[in-house]
Amino acid sequence: MPEALSVTAPATSANLGPGFDVLAVALDLANEVRVLRRPGPLAVRVVGEGAGDVPEDATNLVCVALADGLGSLDGLEVECRNRIPFGRGLGSSAAAVCAGLVAANAIGGLRWSPADLLARAAALEGHADNAAACLEGGIVAVTPGPRAQRIATPRDLAFVTVVPSVRVSTDEARRALPERVPLADASDTLGCAVGLALALAEGRLDDLPDLLHDRLHEPYRAPLVPGIEAVRGLVDGDGCLGVTISGSGPSILVWTRVDAAAAVAERARDALRADGVQAEVTVARVAPAGVRARWTNVAPGRLERSIG
């Protein structure tokens, strides 16, 4: 009986306002990659989000990551079942890279540690924040190494994701950033990032409205994010705690209390409609687990097991 490996990798939102390139959260939306051993050359199929745009060959990011560990991909059939919006700042590329690396680790028996996986993902991605959240789950801070440090998730925290119909490439969003920023902007943003991490760890949601502010990247990327000002107008310090650009955008992460999330989502739809912005608005929660893999269709007597 052939072996098949099923890998799920969650969506992620990086930066979280003041935590540029060092803070990220995993969300309860995931892509699935299925890898099947069978004779013949590599075969790739993409269904769902990104179908028609994501390559169905060895240049697919899942396959690039697989090859990072396995070398030749002959004898593999790879199916990508995508739910994470493509090119919208919700970590679709990190999900592909992390899924491919975890699959390579399992299929090749490579024994990469979590630190090895993160280092390889960061090398392929160019930064570690999305990959850290994708691999670990929850809310993470990235420290030098890179290392992923988990931050406790407040029970009452939820999000509303706003995904505009337009796409923004990470390269385009990076080009919008200045080469230098005033020292006062860096200092203020650093203080907010430290305060945000502490407030989350201690469950102090009341403090978030004063901490979800950035002066390093969001002022320069906001023009690339349709509806950002309309959504920011929803912040009331009570049910709606703050608004941050998700990664490089154009998606928006609205921070809410759990019991207010549905109402905030409806208010966001109304505000975007009035602003003439087409976007998908969804309530989301923090995904407590990161990338997970399991064997299926295994030989008789071999237990299905969890890897990753």
Side-chain angles (χ1 to χ4, degrees):
M1 185 180 295
E3 287 185 331
L5 186 72
S6 176
V7 184
T8 56
T12 52
S13 180
N15 301 326
L16 305 186
F20 181 63
D21 276 2
V22 297
L23 294 180
V25 60
L27 302 173
D28 60 351
L29 175 70
N31 286 351
E32 180 182 8
V33 173
R34 294 185 178 184
V35 184
L36 175 70
R37 290 184 182 275
R38 66 10 166 200
L42 170 70
V44 183
R45 179 171 179 250
V46 177
V47 296
E49 292 285 341
D53 295 314
V54 176
E56 294 184 315
D57 55 29
T59 64
N60 183 297
L61 280 178
V62 172
C63 296
V64 171
L66 272 167
D68 190 59
L70 300 180
S72 173
L73 300 183
D74 288 342
L76 296 181
E77 179 179 308
V78 179
E79 181 180 72
C80 303
R81 299 184 175 189
N82 295 342
R83 297 177 61 218
I84 302 170
F86 178 69
R88 302 297 207 286
L90 286 171
S92 60
S93 64
V97 166
C98 292
L101 289 173
V102 169
N105 197 29
I107 293 169
L110 302 176
R111 298 185 179 181
W112 287 337
S113 68
D116 294 331
L117 288 167
L118 179 56
R120 289 178 177 273
L124 291 172
E125 275 272 278
H127 47 89
D129 47 2
N130 286 100
C134 188
L135 289 167
E136 295 290 331
I139 302 174
V140 300
V142 178
T143 57
R147 295 179 60 192
Q149 306 284 345
R150 286 286 294 259
I151 298 172
T153 301
R155 293 181 180 179
D156 196 30
L157 178 65
F159 299 100
V160 171
T161 58
V162 176
V163 185
S165 57
V166 300
R167 293 177 181 171
V168 174
S169 71
T170 301
D171 288 343
E172 181 183 2
R174 289 275 175 175
R175 287 195 297 270
L177 302 181
E179 292 185 4
R180 295 178 176 83
V181 296
L183 183 60
D185 288 353
S187 177
D188 181 79
T189 301
L190 179 60
C192 285
V194 173
L196 176 60
L198 291 172
L200 289 171
E202 296 168 7
R204 293 184 280 107
L205 296 188
D206 288 343
D207 290 355
L208 297 193
D210 293 329
L211 298 170
L212 292 171
H213 298 288
D214 166 83
R215 290 161 63 176
L216 296 184
H217 68 104
E218 289 203 349
Y220 308 99
R221 286 175 166 170
L224 302 175
V225 180
I228 183 70
E229 294 306 326
V231 177
R232 282 174 173 165
L234 304 178
V235 178
D236 55 16
D238 185 17
C240 185
L241 303 169
V243 172
T244 56
I245 297 174
S246 184
S248 58
S251 291
I252 301 166
L253 198 66
V254 185
W255 298 59
T256 77
R257 297 182 189 274
V258 169
D259 58 5
V264 170
E266 193 57 40
R267 290 171 56 204
R269 293 186 188 99
D270 291 341
L272 291 164
R273 192 178 301 115
D275 207 37
V277 176
Q278 293 185 346
E280 183 176 346
V281 179
T282 309
V283 174
R285 296 294 300 272
V286 177
V291 180
R292 289 293 180 267
R294 60 190 179 93
W295 290 102
T296 59
N297 297 331
V298 296
R302 183 177 180 183
L303 295 177
E304 182 174 290
R305 66 183 185 273
S306 190
I307 304 165

